[in-house]
Each structure stands twice: as structure tokens, then as C-alpha cells.
């Protein structure tokens, strides 16, 4: 039992007869195992709760709770502990029942000590292998998760760069997504979002206008008022953007992008949800997006003064915007609600 000698596994020998415990304990200790003993169910459970036991040799017939009753309890609480059943009754049905309930092996009394030794070695090796396989599986899962995260980050970074490039081409929208992200995160902070929701909000804000890649530049930069058809064409960017990012981001971010032009009162173009059914991230984004847009020059108007912008956002609380988000916005910009 060279492996066992190296590892000094702890075994628990359970039998109501002290002489049998001693015999097994001496034999297995000589072979390098550390042996603990127990004579009844309660002591078995106490020992398992306090020591890391690799293997239990469990007598089937004991006063009080039998080994057959104890086996499922051990296996459900300590699934990594191997169990070898021992009984004086050479009964194949008992053996099958125990193996079905998760026992690793079965020994008959009177013991042949060499057979005991071999059975213990086999059970310990099987346990060791099971633990190794699980460790390896966990390692692989962590690696896959790590690499998936890396690929996702890389892809999102590339899309972010694309958004910046798109915006940089247009003198009216340069830096818009970055500024919207800063404002949205300040609102998210004010609304005490969880760390995960803040991370989603960050990506949703950075990518919210990626769908503009599909918009006709002439319409987007038209200096005059848009026709209803042109406006409808511009507004497809929410859906296009959601479709672009869907393969690599979670549903929360997709929904944020999809609904970032939804109006709180439900009166937006082709809008299907309203009020608090609109994802909170999208309601935040709506305010942040409008704030930055009004503060910037547009082909059809110059930038508005900040006081007018704030008044306009206030005026639209409950119609275009979620009133709670507007309150958070006013707190963020240092204005109180009236
Ligand atoms: Fe947009």
C-alpha cells in the first residue's frame, strides 16, 4: 500500500466488538493508515463531523442503528468518503442493497486480513481517482470560463472601438457614448444599483448606439426636421444594436439597448412596453442620452444651455422619463425636486 503510506489517509473502523476493531486497526496501521474507531452510529457521525475520514469500514449488524441505516446518512453528508460494508452474514442480497446505496465494497466476516487490505486499497484508489477527476473538471471549467470572459471582453472592446470610430466620423456625436456612460453610471450610483447592474449599465451605455451603423448618414445628419419615415428609419438603431450585441452580452444589456428610446408613458414609436416594465437600465439610459444630446450641437439646432436642459428633463418626468430616474438625475446635478 505504497500510496496510502505516502498519504496517511485516515480510516474509521466501525464495529461493536472491540477485538475486531483492534485487529483491523493494527493491520491497517501497519500498512500506513491512520485509524480511528467507533462502536456505534452516534460515534461514527461525531467522528465524521470532526475529522476528515477517507474511508469507513462499516459493520452492518450493530446494536442501535445498523450499518445499512447509517450508510445513506454517511453518503449524503460525506459523498467523498468511501464506505466498505462488513458483516458476518454472507448474504449477497445485503451486499447488493449496500452497493446500490453507494457502498464501495463489501467484506464478509471472519475477515481475511489480506482481503481487507486489498479492499481498502482498491476503495482508496477509486476515491483518489474520483477526487482527481473532479479537480480536473473544475480546472477545465474555470479555464473555459476564463477564456470565454477574455473573448467576450475582447469582442466588446472591439465593438466599443467601432462605436468610438463611428462617432468620431461625425462632428455632432463625437464622444457621445462615453459621456452618456459617465452620466448613466452616476445615475446608477444614485439609484444604488448592484455591482452587476452597474457593470451591465456600463456596457449598455457604451454600446447603446451601435445600431447607428445601419442608419443612412444623410438622414442622420439632415439639417432640417425629419419626415415621419426618416424618423422611423433612425429609430431602428435600437433594434439593430440589440441584435448586434445579443450573441456576446447578457439579456439585461440587450434589453437596455433595445428599449433606450422607449418613453415612460408608452407613447414612443412602435413601443410595446411602458412604465416600470421598461428595464431600469433603459430608463436610466434615456435620461443620460437626452441630457448629453441636448447639451450638444445637432445638425438641426445648436447646443442648449444647461439650465434649459435640466428644465426640459424635469418637464418630461412621467411622460418621456421615469420620474424616479429624473429625481436621481436632479440629485446628481445638485438640483432638488420641487
Ligand atoms: Fe439612441
Amino acid at each position: 500500500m505504497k500510496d496510502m503510506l505516502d498519504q496517511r489517509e485516515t480510516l474509521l473502523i466501525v464495529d461493536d466488538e472491540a477485538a475486531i476493531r483492534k485487529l483491523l486497526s493494527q493491520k491497517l496501521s501497519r500498512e500506513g493508515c491512520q485509524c480511528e474507531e467507533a462502536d456505534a452510529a452516534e460515534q461514527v457521525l461525531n467522528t465524521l463531523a470532526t475529522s476528515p475520514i477517507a474511508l469507513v469500514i462499516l459493520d452492518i449488524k450493530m446494536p442501535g442503528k445498523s450499518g445499512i441505516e447509517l450508510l445513506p446518512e454517511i453518503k449524503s453528508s460525506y459523498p467523498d468518503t468511501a464506505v466498505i460494508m462488513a458483516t458476518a452474514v454472507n448474504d449477497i442480497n445485503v451486499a447488493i442493497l449496500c452497493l446500490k446505496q453507494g457502498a464501495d465494497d463489501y467484506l464478509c466476516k471472519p475477515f481475511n486480513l489480506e482481503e481487507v487490505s486489498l479492499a481498502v486499497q482498491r476503495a482508496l484508489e477509486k476515491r483518489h481517482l474520483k477526487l482527481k477527476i473532479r479537480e480536473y473538471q473544475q480546472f477545465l471549467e474555470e479555464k473555459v470560463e476564463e477564456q470565454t470572459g477574455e473573448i467576450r471582453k475582447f469582442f466588446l472592446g472591439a465593438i466599443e472601438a467601432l462605436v468610438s470610430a463611428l462617432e468620431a466620423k461625425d462632428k455632432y456625436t463625437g464622444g457621445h457614448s462615453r459621456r452618456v456612460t459617465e452620466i448613466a453610471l452616476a445615475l446608477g450610483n444614485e439609484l444604488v444599483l448592484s455591482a452587476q447592474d452597474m457593470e451591465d449599465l456600463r456596457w449598455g451605455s457604451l454600446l447603446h448606439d451601435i445600431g447607428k451603423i445601419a442608419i443612412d448618414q444623410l438622414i442622420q445628419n439632415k439639417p432640417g426636421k425629419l419626415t415621419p419615415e426618416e424618423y422611423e428609419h433612425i429609430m431602428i438603431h435600437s433594434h439593430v444594436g440589440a441584435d448586434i450585441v445579443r450573441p456576446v452580452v447578457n439579456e439585461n444589456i440587450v434589453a437596455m439597448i433595445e428599449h433606450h428610446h422607449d418613453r415612460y408613458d408608452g407613447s414612443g414609436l412602435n413601443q410595446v412596453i411602458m412604465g416600470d416594465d421598461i428595464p431600469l437600465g433603459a430608463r436610466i439610459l434615456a435620461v443620460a442620452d437626452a441630457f448629453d444630446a441636448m447639451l450638444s450641437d445637432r445638425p438641426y439646432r445648436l447646443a442648449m444651455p444647461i439650465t434649459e436642459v435640466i428644465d426640459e428633463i424635469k418637464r418630461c418626468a412621467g411622460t418621456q422619463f421615469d420620474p424616479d430616474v429624473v429625481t436621481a438625475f436632479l440629485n446628481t446635478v445638485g438640483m432638488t425636486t420641487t
Side-chain angles (χ1 to χ4, degrees):
M1 272 198 232
K2 189 168 179 314
D3 276 357
M4 281 166 50
L5 269 169
D6 291 344
Q7 294 166 26
R8 296 282 296 163
E9 304 269 31
T10 306
L11 314 186
L12 177 60
I13 297 163
V14 185
D15 202 297
D16 53 318
E17 285 184 51
I20 292 182
R21 293 200 304 272
K22 193 173 171 201
L23 182 74
L24 295 184
S25 187
Q26 279 176 344
K27 167 75 177 164
L28 295 166
S29 296
R30 274 202 303 276
E31 303 204 345
C33 296
Q34 195 156 327
C35 296
E36 305 234 357
E37 298 179 21
D39 62 359
E42 198 180 333
Q43 204 186 349
V44 172
L45 295 173
N46 283 341
T47 309
L48 284 168
T50 50
S51 321
I53 302 293
L55 181 145
V56 180
I57 297 179
L58 182 59
D59 191 18
I60 286 180
K61 279 201 175 156
M62 289 189 293
K65 201 179 269 183
S66 75
I68 298 175
E69 288 172 280
L70 199 49
L71 174 64
E73 281 184 48
I74 296 176
K75 277 291 162 188
S76 73
S77 300
Y78 307 96
D80 292 336
T81 299
V83 180
I84 296 177
M85 306 303 290
T87 183
V89 187
N90 191 356
D91 184 345
I92 192 70
N93 292 329
V94 176
I96 290 168
L97 178 66
C98 292
L99 293 175
K100 271 186 184 166
Q101 289 184 333
D104 294 84
D105 210 344
Y106 182 82
L107 287 165
C108 289
K109 292 177 183 176
F111 291 125
N112 171 326
L113 288 180
E114 289 315 310
E115 272 178 21
V116 172
S117 177
L118 279 174
V120 166
Q121 187 177 5
R122 265 199 314 269
L124 285 178
E125 278 171 1
K126 189 174 137 198
R127 173 180 179 271
H128 186 65
L129 199 64
K130 250 166 67 183
L131 294 177
K132 274 274 164 226
I133 289 171
R134 194 169 61 207
E135 195 183 304
Y136 188 58
Q137 264 172 349
Q138 275 168 357
F139 168 77
L140 285 182
E141 280 166 16
E142 277 165 24
K143 267 270 164 246
V144 168
E145 204 172 305
E146 200 179 290
Q147 288 186 353
T148 307
E150 283 297 309
I151 292 168
R152 182 173 167 270
K153 241 165 69 188
F154 182 74
F155 185 80
L156 287 172
I159 295 185
E160 191 190 342
L162 184 63
V163 171
S164 300
L166 271 176
E167 290 180 352
K169 253 177 54 184
D170 180 341
K171 67 173 175 161
Y172 298 106
T173 55
H176 169 69
S177 294
R178 284 230 157 259
R179 291 192 302 273
V180 167
T181 304
E182 277 172 33
I183 302 157
L185 290 180
L187 298 183
N189 245 333
E190 182 66 27
L191 291 162
V192 201
L193 297 195
S194 68
Q196 180 60 55
D197 284 346
M198 286 293 275
E199 180 64 6
D200 289 349
L201 185 60
R202 192 169 79 81
W203 281 113
S205 307
L206 280 172
L207 307 178
H208 75 280
D209 272 345
I210 181 69
K212 285 203 172 156
I213 200 164
I215 301 301
D216 185 329
Q217 289 295 294
L218 288 176
I219 297 178
Q220 194 176 330
N221 293 329
K222 182 179 171 182
K225 197 173 177 341
L226 297 176
T227 65
E229 293 74 28
E230 287 167 341
Y231 180 68
E232 191 162 356
H233 172 68
I234 293 248
M235 294 313 277
I236 62 166
H237 77 272
S238 313
H239 310 294
V240 173
D243 286 343
I244 289 174
V245 298
R246 184 168 279 116
V248 282
V249 300
N250 64 41
E251 268 309 306
N252 201 10
I253 301 174
V254 173
M256 215 180 282
I257 295 172
E258 175 103 48
H259 296 284
H260 78 273
H261 282 291
D262 279 6
R263 291 174 58 100
Y264 192 71
D265 62 6
S267 66
L269 184 71
N270 300 327
Q271 199 172 321
V272 288
I273 50 176
M274 62 181 286
D276 291 349
D277 286 342
I278 302 167
L280 178 58
R283 283 178 269 146
I284 292 174
L285 207 41
V287 172
D289 192 14
F291 178 66
D292 186 68
M294 286 190 274
L295 281 178
S296 311
D297 287 340
R298 283 290 186 259
Y300 46 89
R301 60 145 174 83
L302 291 174
M304 291 161 61
I306 188 150
T307 48
E308 272 180 41
V309 172
I310 292 170
D311 282 347
E312 179 63 10
I313 288 180
K314 230 165 154 181
R315 194 182 66 77
C316 295
T319 51
Q320 187 174 352
F321 305 125
D322 175 351
D324 291 341
V325 177
V326 172
T327 302
F329 167 77
L330 294 174
N331 290 338
T332 306
V333 294
M335 308 279 289
T336 48
T337 39
T338 50

